[in-house]
Amino acid sequence: MGDRGKWWEVLATAEEQVCWGCDQEPWPNERQYGLQIWNAIHREGLPIRSVSARCNLWSVPCPRAIERRTRSTRCLVGRFVYAVMCFFKWMGEAEQENYALTSLESAMDLAWTVQQVPCAERWGFPVAEVAENYERLLTSLWHQHQGVPEYWLPASGPLRCLRPRAPEPQELPASSEPEAAASPKQEGGVECLVLVQYPAEVERMAMIADTYASHCSPLVFFTAAPAPTHFRSYAIVNLRNFFHIAPDPQGLFSDGLSLEPNTIEKTFRALQYAALGLRGTLKKPDVICRLDSDTLFFPQNLLRIMACRNFSASQPWAIGHENYVHKHQMPGRVFLNGGTGICLSRAAVALLLDQMEKGQFHESQSPGDWNSGACITAPGHWDDVVLGACLSYLGVPISRWGTDCQGRSLFWPNTFESALPGPRQVRPRRLPPTTSFFQPPETQETSSSRSSDPLQDPDVANYHHWLYRAWQYLPCDHDNDTWLGDFPVGFHSYRNATEGRRIYRLFQRQSVRVSGKKYHYKLYLRNTVDRPGHMKVERFKDIQKRFPERIIMRAVWGSLPKTPTCKRIFKDRLKLFAGPNHLYYHKDPVEYPMHTVKDCTPTQNKRRNLRVQWLREVKQEKDLKVAKWEQEKEDNIKLKLYKKFLHGHFKKIGTEAAGEMTLKEMTIEADKQRMQRIYTERIGQEVQKPAPSIYIKSGIERKRIGENKPGAWR
């Protein structure tokens, strides 16, 4: 092309002039250069890595594209083509593949603006073509851990919303994958592995037991500290009894993270424990999900995805919310967000166990070693990043069906309010970003409606959620729609257990039946809206599990006079919070002296003579004295009768005979004479039968039902 001039200097000088690329073309030579590359890859059919050598792209200053990736550019269309050119340049250079992918992502940030420009086609590289190749890279390179495709594909048609995705490994034809043709087996269900800290997270464990625990088959709590074996009939496993693992941390940082986290070790050891259990069970689960204690999960919706997408548990795969933060740091190209849940197929978990037994897992003291190209178990909190790198190392593909057919998220990592329609909703960007590539947007600290925490700011959440994902929605315009699927699988996170129960009940009706012969998964909301006139009765222990604060509210209201003043006091002054979290932490609350509060006992509301303590201390002693007195009285009567009997025998035998016998001999002789006398008197007489038992005030005889049941009368 010869000397094209320093056209790239416009990037640094045109901060105030912004155009759409049609009224002014500051880079006319660059447009011709882009058309030359267009002809090289389409007419000549050059491989992607050969375009740089054929078109002499060595002089293009592509590092400037990453340093200054801003909206203040005079020609956005030229900026779009410039980013595509840098992709081909870095693909032709050795070990520059990560920078090439970064340039292509930079082009996709401008795609929504460029597709609306009428003169965009004069520059070559239509948005539909770049989007289709970018989708192919996303599927093959980052989700299936394959290499960059060899050739650039022409667009199969105009860019349209809801275009079909690349097929999953389980959806390939039967000729290429023999096992894919078999129908999926949904007999095992979903096994839930919940990582908790006992007893600090008992409130969250109770929320899990009240919501989705009954739909897991089974649900197991994993901890690394002493704990009971069961919690509400759900097993608790102390991993330190089976594996060498660091104990649970004692305390939290100011941002809520553990002081000495051991989440990485707990994740891998929990999966290893579940994999060992698969070898000895007849009914094996199809999916094993690793969940946080603050994760809301819908196992029935996950089984619905498996049934609709033809997933097979006999093939290794993973599903969840895709996170692309570290994908350019090999080998962790993409990982699944741990907060929304990471679900692995039965074959993937078995593969992890097989590699553990072969010694492919290495222990380390630094969690930063996840990027070393092997499976690392180390203390730390980056368990989702480390697990993603390990899945990439083992070749386990990550399914892209973590969203529904309309591209809406099924694993929601942000707050629930950000998914609802409104100004704070998380939605795709419609303009190029105004910050650099590796820096999220700055929060507006001056705004009172926004949080001071950057991670909770809606702009930051929107940036991270749609990073490398917004290109899928270029032709879509869902202004009044939500970007959360109708049948969500996982949520993260919620403020407290009460809010978690509320969100779970909100989506219970949207958990639908899954196709299958034996197992149907369905949840119902218990309400009286659809059945007016019916009474809803709930037991005390169920209320205590769901809303313990309502019990105290009812007791306080029942003891107050029903006057307007008391109603106002009840509304304004009664503040109840379930659990340790409350709204008055910044007012330095003082802990109430609980030693002054008497314990509540079951018999506290009974009379004094009916309480257990009075019965045990007073009445029991009195009863013992009465029983002892009655026993002594009965013994005295028997002694008197026995003395009278011996005195009569003494008179009968005389003084001389009695003097020759001892007292024992005289007693035996007296008994023999008494029995002989009774026998002589009753000889020849009929034996008298006992009087029959009759019902009171009637002549009806009571008869036995069976001979072997002496107390059974009829």
Side-chain angles (χ1 to χ4, degrees), residues 7-21 26-27 64-65 67-80 82 106 109-110 113 431-436:
W7 48 267
W8 55 84
E9 293 181 356
V10 183
L11 296 176
T13 59
E15 292 290 341
E16 302 297 334
Q17 302 177 8
V18 180
C19 70
W20 299 107
W27 308 335
R64 188 72 63 87
E67 295 175 3
R68 301 191 60 82
R69 188 165 164 265
T70 62
R71 179 172 178 263
S72 299
T73 303
R74 291 188 62 190
C75 185
L76 296 181
V77 184
R79 193 73 155 88
F80 173 79
Y82 172 68
S106 178
D109 287 331
L110 303 172
T113 304
L431 291 176
T434 58
T435 57
S436 61

Side-chain angles (χ1 to χ4, degrees), residues 100-122:
L101 299 176
T102 303
S103 296
L104 197 59
E105 294 158 0
S106 178
M108 295 310 303
D109 287 331
L110 303 172
W112 185 82
T113 304
V114 171
Q115 74 165 348
Q116 301 180 12
V117 178
C119 62
E121 296 183 359
R122 299 206 307 260

Side-chain angles (χ1 to χ4, degrees), residues 545-605:
K545 293 178 183 178
R546 296 175 61 234
F547 304 108
E549 65 275 8
R550 294 186 181 180
I551 300 174
I552 302 179
M553 292 175 63
R554 183 69 177 269
V556 173
W557 176 248
S559 61
L560 290 176
K562 307 306 183 286
T563 61
T565 303
C566 292
K567 291 181 180 179
R568 179 182 56 81
I569 294 175
F570 181 80
K571 292 181 180 180
D572 297 342
R573 300 184 183 181
L574 182 61
K575 309 294 181 182
L576 297 176
F577 302 94
N581 301 323
H582 53 83
L583 301 178
Y584 300 94
Y585 60 91
H586 61 285
K587 294 186 178 181
D588 298 330
V590 179
E591 185 177 359
Y592 190 83
M594 298 302 296
H595 63 277
T596 61
V597 180
K598 296 182 179 180
D599 295 335
C600 181
T601 60
T603 61
Q604 192 174 20
N605 59 341

Side-chain angles (χ1 to χ4, degrees), residues 621-632:
E621 183 179 357
K622 181 179 179 180
D623 293 343
L624 290 176
K625 291 182 179 180
V626 173
K628 183 178 180 181
W629 177 80
E630 291 180 351
Q631 185 66 31
E632 291 178 354

